[in-house]
Amino acid sequence: MIDRDALTRELNPPQLEAALRTEGPLLVFAGAGSGKTRVITFRIAHILDEKNVPPWRVLAVTFTNKAAQEMRERLHRIVGHERARGLWISTFHALGAKLLRRFHERAGLRQDFAIYDDGDQRSVMNRVFDELKIDDKFLSVRNALGAIDRAKQEVLEPADLLGRAKTPHDTLIARAWESYEKHLTKNGAVDFGDLLSRLTRLLERDASVRKELQEQFQYLLVDEFQDTNNAQYRMLRAMINEHRNLCVVGDDDQAIYRWRGADVRNIQYFKRDFPDAPVVKLEQNYRSTQRILRAANAVISKAQQREGKTLFTRNDEGALIELLPCEDEREEARFIAHGVKTTLARGVPAKEIAVFYRVHAQSRPLEDAMRAANIPYMIYGGMRFYERAEVKDILGYLRMVLNPNDDVSLLRVVNTPPRKIGKTTLDRVTAHATARQSSIWKLLASGDLPEDVGSAARKALSGFYLLMGEIRREAATMLDRPAEAGNLVFQKTGYARMLDDNKDIENETRMENIQELLGSMHEYAQEADEPSLSGYLERVTLNEETPAGEDIPKVAMMTVHSAKGLEFRAVFIAAMEDGMFPYKGTELGADPEEMEEERRLAYVAITRAREQLTMSFTRFRQIFGQTRLNPPSRFLLEIPPEVLSGKVTRRHFGEASTPSRESGYGGEGGGGYRIERDPVAPRAREPEEAAHDGPVLVRDNPAVGWQRGMRVRHMKFGTGTVKTVFTGAELKVEVYFPNLGATKTLLAEYLQVLG
């Protein structure tokens, strides 16, 4: 039990207000690291205990399984297992799946419908493209699926899209969508977008379903509200009863998913729809040092449209934010790797260190440097466990156990292990099934195969049909024991024998992955209240977690988007340059909203750090097949100098940022920069810097060492070799230019260092 006195001890005043104000609508702005999960869980605990509300009348939705699980575990600790047992705590997609299965007849679905992931959707759309003879040069499968997903976020249907079509391209997408939906229906499947759009349409059109859910859910809570899209917000509004007990918690400063349909304007729509809703702001940060928060506040304060709020903390002032100016991406990677190694040597665990970059393409040199430094790391967003071929094969068989009319799963497994059923045969059978408006399984059952399918292929297909029929009969007795059904499939299909017959390293790994899969089925059965094979497959399809092995102590490497919701003791942010971060919104005529989102993304990146923050930028960057000369990020210039280890200044800010490397550096019209180091701040050093001949070193850029023998280029004099490095107020070097047959003494900042 938890009473009001306990809440007062556990929460600060704004948190307490958010937890106790349970009746009617409420909007909570929760800044980064302000303890929003704590507030939500104590609010639910208060509703259960103080209000004596049955747990099944409380619905809390969020965006990731990890967040939902953390919320669930905290509530079990606070109110006890029995009291928390019936709570509805779920992601939006899992909620959609659960309610669509509950009201499957009203939604026009079979109860055991399959949920197609990205790969399954591509398979279906490839088939649609073949049927409609769509030229992928005119319309790609990826673009068609993207347009369909965006339409489903707006709760549209194919007829709506067709009615809005303004070009032949639009019309073709609508036609492809119509055919795509027919295939999903025939296969007894839905995609991710359907889990939201179908439920929203059902709620808005079916008064009895709407009334039933309004009566059930007396209290609704939404986490990460800034990330909701149109379908999700409409779904929530339809489920609110006359009490209007809807609490939304979010932060417009952390709205970074516009590109995938999230609409930060939903916060404004909430204010419009619930004008009487009180607003509570959680501004005390419990995560980061004062210097890190001052940097974050400085960057986000320049946002054009946001709810006014300023994070503060009672944590220590903390270390200066370290700047790492580097010559190019290879040197940047080496110095980040050295910084990581130094951080590890200070006793910070590997799992508490992260390296962020703006786009996946930046990871390659960073990975090279981490491997060279022998630092264990893990890429977030790489191939996930459930995306591996052997895992998807076993899951495909299990989906066929429940629904043999699932053509996508059948086509995946029919020749795995090899059964001498070739692609040409499958193409003919697929086309024949489409012409008959039948599933492939029904064709196999009737023996109605195309005449041009040879006798050997017919025999193989018949053998597969008989095998799957036998497996389905045996598995029917173990649907509440998924691990047993999985092992049956693994053994009886010949998959185990296939891997065992050729024990190379790859097959051993595949075997280990399948054993891990069977283990996950066993764990699910122990955790679930009512375990079932369909429940396990649903959990897997909706899985949004990080790759397997996340508990192994490794440094995390990820895009900033992947870092949302995480925190680390030490964070390194690479490529803080205009054109890289901000990545969008810097070009002339760009959408201002893109720059706004980039600013919010920078705020998210900075606020992931608890104690140590390092930001790097380069003079030159080789990426996407071109060399860029980018000025330092405008976000760096906005950070107060007193929290940085040095001061960045820049000439000609805002001019073209992608001249060729041959155009030189730092002259008139260039995007040159200097960094003035704090005299007490240590400069970054390689683990072992070799002694150099000659007078070394004054560093204009502390991450670049000048030494005799270095090859350099000057815009006017061409390529030469450094003979002498002079110390003094300004870094000068003596360079021999072979084409001149002479030496010249020049300012180092007007020279480009060659690799």
Side-chain angles (χ1 to χ4, degrees):
M1 293 288 290
I2 183 166
D3 56 23
R4 191 174 294 252
D5 290 338
L7 285 172
T8 304
R9 291 192 302 270
E10 294 285 347
L11 305 176
N12 65 35
Q15 289 177 332
L16 184 63
E17 181 182 0
L20 295 181
R21 194 185 286 270
T22 57
E23 305 307 303
L26 177 66
L27 173 58
V28 179
F29 284 99
S34 62
K36 69 179 176 62
T37 304
R38 185 180 185 82
V39 171
I40 291 172
T41 51
F42 274 106
R43 177 186 172 87
I44 294 174
H46 176 65
I47 290 171
L48 294 177
D49 284 346
E50 194 76 9
K51 298 286 183 179
N52 198 30
V53 174
W56 54 273
R57 289 195 176 276
V58 178
L59 170 64
V61 286
T62 185
F63 278 84
T64 67
N65 288 316
K66 183 176 181 180
Q69 183 61 25
E70 181 184 357
M71 205 179 295
R72 194 176 294 111
E73 289 173 354
R74 288 195 189 190
L75 278 162
H76 277 263
R77 289 196 297 269
I78 295 172
V79 300
H81 293 293
E82 288 304 315
R83 195 78 176 96
R85 191 177 181 85
L87 285 167
W88 284 59
I89 301 177
S90 171
T91 65
F92 273 101
H93 286 96
L95 175 67
K98 189 170 185 176
L99 292 179
L100 284 176
R101 293 197 194 282
R102 175 169 159 184
F103 300 108
H104 65 96
E105 291 183 353
R106 302 284 184 88
L109 296 169
R110 51 186 295 165
Q111 189 170 20
D112 59 350
F113 60 80
I115 303 171
Y116 280 2
D117 63 14
D118 292 343
D120 300 326
Q121 292 170 45
R122 286 193 298 271
S123 296
V124 173
M125 190 56 77
N126 281 327
R127 188 168 170 182
V128 169
F129 270 43
D130 288 341
E131 293 168 7
L132 300 182
K133 295 180 171 51
I134 297 175
D135 185 349
D136 59 8
K137 294 179 181 177
F138 182 71
L139 173 65
S140 70
V141 166
R142 178 180 178 181
N143 287 344
L145 287 171
I148 291 169
D149 186 59
R150 289 190 294 274
K152 289 185 177 183
Q153 290 172 11
E154 296 300 319
V155 203
L156 300 177
E157 296 179 84
D160 300 318
L161 205 61
L162 190 60
R164 297 182 180 190
K166 297 179 180 178
T167 67
H169 186 269
D170 297 338
T171 301
L172 192 57
I173 290 175
R175 294 299 184 199
W177 188 7
E178 286 179 333
S179 184
Y180 172 81
E181 289 299 324
K182 289 177 182 177
H183 279 285
L184 291 186
T185 300
K186 177 169 64 70
N187 291 354
V190 300
D191 62 19
F192 275 95
D194 286 324
L195 297 177
L196 303 179
S197 63
R198 279 179 173 267
L199 178 59
T200 301
R201 280 199 303 272
L202 180 64
L203 282 163
E204 291 179 343
R205 296 175 181 178
D206 193 317
S208 62
V209 171
R210 187 168 61 249
K211 182 179 180 182
E212 183 175 335
L213 291 179
Q214 287 177 349
E215 289 178 351
Q216 176 178 343
F217 298 125
Q218 292 184 6
Y219 294 88
L220 285 78
L221 299 96
V222 186
D223 189 16
E224 304 287 5
F225 184 65
Q226 77 280 349
D227 293 334
T228 54
N229 60 32
N230 186 15
Q232 289 160 334
Y233 184 44
R234 284 169 59 177
M235 178 199 305
L236 292 167
R237 281 188 315 184
M239 294 172 70
I240 299 168
N241 57 27
E242 67 274 12
H243 300 299
R244 303 189 308 147
N245 295 332
L246 173 62
C247 172
V248 298
V249 183
D251 183 8
D252 53 345
D253 291 338
Q254 297 185 73
I256 61 173
Y257 295 118
R258 176 174 174 255
W259 53 275
R260 71 180 190 193
D263 192 347
V264 69
R265 294 176 300 176
N266 280 345
I267 293 176
Q268 299 304 319
Y269 299 154
F270 181 88
K271 289 182 174 181
R272 176 200 65 195
D273 296 338
F274 303 96
D276 58 329
V279 176
V280 177
K281 297 180 182 179
L282 309 182
E283 297 172 287
Q284 183 173 353
N285 177 284
Y286 293 90
R287 176 188 300 157
S288 304
T289 65
Q290 293 185 32
R291 282 192 170 108
I292 290 172
L293 282 193
R294 287 208 294 277
N297 285 330
V299 170
I300 200 61
S301 67
K302 301 292 193 300
Q304 296 301 307
Q305 296 180 347
R306 62 185 289 263
E307 183 77 16
K309 50 191 172 301
T310 302
L311 291 185
F312 70 93
T313 185
R314 295 193 173 92
N315 293 338
D316 294 338
E317 185 76 2
L320 291 168
I321 296 172
E322 181 71 13
L323 292 178
L324 272 184
C326 307
E327 183 67 10
D328 58 24
E329 74 281 355
R330 293 182 300 278
E331 186 172 70
E332 175 186 54
R334 288 198 303 273
F335 276 101
I336 287 177
H338 173 55
V340 169
K341 203 149 197 174
T342 302
T343 305
L344 288 167
R346 289 196 292 105
V348 178
K351 66 180 182 180
E352 288 286 352
I353 303 172
V355 179
F356 297 163
Y357 34 85
R358 178 61 184 81
V359 292
H360 282 294
Q362 293 171 247
S363 73
R364 184 190 53 78
L366 290 164
E367 287 191 72
D368 291 344
M370 297 289 274
R371 284 194 296 267
N374 201 28
I375 298 171
Y377 69 90
M378 177 178 67
I379 296 286
Y380 277 56
M383 180 169 284
R384 303 182 180 212
F385 178 77
Y386 293 106
E387 295 170 349
R388 294 168 184 168
E390 61 275 10
V391 172
K392 293 200 75 169
D393 288 342
I394 300 302
L395 294 177
Y397 275 115
L398 290 172
R399 280 160 59 167
M400 280 202 69
V401 165
L402 295 179
N403 176 20
N405 293 304
D406 181 348
D407 281 358
V408 170
S409 294
L410 185 148
L411 289 170
R412 179 178 187 91
V413 303
V414 67
N415 200 42
T416 306
R419 298 185 175 93
K420 297 182 180 180
I421 304 172
K423 183 179 183 302
T424 301
T425 295
L426 292 176
D427 287 345
R428 290 169 178 168
V429 172
T430 300
H432 193 61
T434 300
R436 295 285 195 276
Q437 295 187 334
S438 168
S439 70
I440 296 174
W441 180 259
K442 288 179 180 177
L443 287 188
L444 298 181
S446 66
D448 179 20
L449 298 176
E451 292 180 1
D452 51 359
V453 172
S455 59
R458 285 175 179 268
K459 183 177 180 181
L461 287 168
S462 176
F464 173 77
Y465 174 79
L466 293 173
L467 173 65
M468 282 307 305
E470 185 176 347
I471 290 174
R472 293 188 70 232
R473 285 191 294 275
E474 290 189 39
T477 64
M478 52 186 74
L479 295 182
D480 59 344
R481 303 185 302 282
E484 290 185 30
N487 190 57
L488 171 71
V489 161
F490 184 42
Q491 299 296 334
K492 199 138 194 171
T493 58
Y495 214 109
R497 185 171 60 254
M498 177 184 71
L499 298 182
D500 204 44
D501 286 348
N502 182 13
K503 289 188 175 180
D504 58 14
I505 294 176
E506 290 184 0
N507 276 349
E508 287 180 7
T509 301
R510 293 186 182 104
M511 184 74 80
E512 291 170 357
N513 288 338
I514 291 174
Q515 294 302 329
E516 180 68 20
L517 175 67
L518 297 176
S520 73
M521 295 177 184
H522 181 68
E523 290 175 4
Y524 157 78
Q526 290 182 318
E527 295 170 0
D529 294 334
E530 297 179 3
S532 66
L533 180 57
S534 62
Y536 176 79
L537 292 175
E538 181 174 301
R539 173 184 286 195
V540 166
T541 308
L542 298 176
N543 186 285
E544 299 172 16
E545 308 310 58
T546 53
E550 67 173 336
D551 294 330
I552 298 172
K554 295 180 180 179
V555 173
M557 296 177 62
M558 67 188 78
T559 64
V560 182
H561 280 103
S562 299
K564 177 75 185 303
L566 304 177
E567 60 181 76
F568 303 90
R569 283 178 61 182
V571 167
F572 295 77
I573 308 175
M576 291 296 293
E577 305 138 27
D578 267 9
M580 291 306 300
F581 201 174
Y583 184 64
K584 296 181 178 179
T586 56
E587 19 342 273
L588 187 64
D591 181 356
E593 268 300 308
E594 289 189 338
M595 179 57 73
E596 288 292 287
E597 183 132 332
E598 291 292 310
R599 182 174 295 283
R600 295 192 292 265
L601 198 58
Y603 172 80
V604 167
I606 293 169
T607 54
R608 300 309 95 193
R610 295 207 300 269
E611 301 170 5
Q612 175 187 332
L613 178 61
T614 302
M615 295 185 285
S616 62
F617 55 103
T618 66
R619 292 188 181 194
F620 304 103
R621 183 171 298 278
Q622 184 80 28
I623 192 167
F624 307 131
Q626 62 178 201
T627 300
R628 296 184 175 187
L629 173 57
N630 295 329
S633 171
R634 64 193 67 196
F635 302 145
L636 283 182
L637 296 181
E638 295 166 356
I639 295 175
E642 65 270 15
V643 306
L644 299 172
S645 64
K647 179 182 178 183
V648 179
T649 61
R650 190 160 42 150
R651 295 190 298 275
H652 307 290
F653 174 71
E655 294 188 6
S657 61
T658 55
S660 68
R661 192 159 184 162
E662 283 67 25
S663 66
Y665 168 77
E668 291 299 321
Y673 65 84
R674 298 171 64 87
I675 178 167
E676 301 168 8
R677 300 288 291 189
D678 187 308
V680 300
R683 68 172 178 84
R685 296 180 61 91
E686 299 263 15
E688 295 181 8
E689 289 189 330
H692 304 302
D693 295 333
V696 181
L697 144 105
V698 168
R699 291 195 174 195
D700 177 34
N701 175 346
V704 179
W706 289 84
Q707 58 180 315
R708 191 170 71 183
M710 221 177 222
R711 292 182 68 249
V712 295
R713 178 181 289 135
H714 187 271
M715 288 182 66
K716 181 177 180 181
F717 303 127
T719 301
T721 304
V722 173
K723 306 301 291 183
T724 312
V725 181
F726 298 99
T727 60
E730 292 184 295
L731 178 61
K732 296 180 180 180
V733 292
E734 184 184 61
V735 182
Y736 174 74
F737 294 96
N739 60 319
L740 300 179
T743 60
K744 290 188 175 292
T745 301
L746 304 163
L747 287 173
E749 71 177 84
Y750 292 102
L751 294 168
Q752 173 196 343
V753 178
L754 302 178

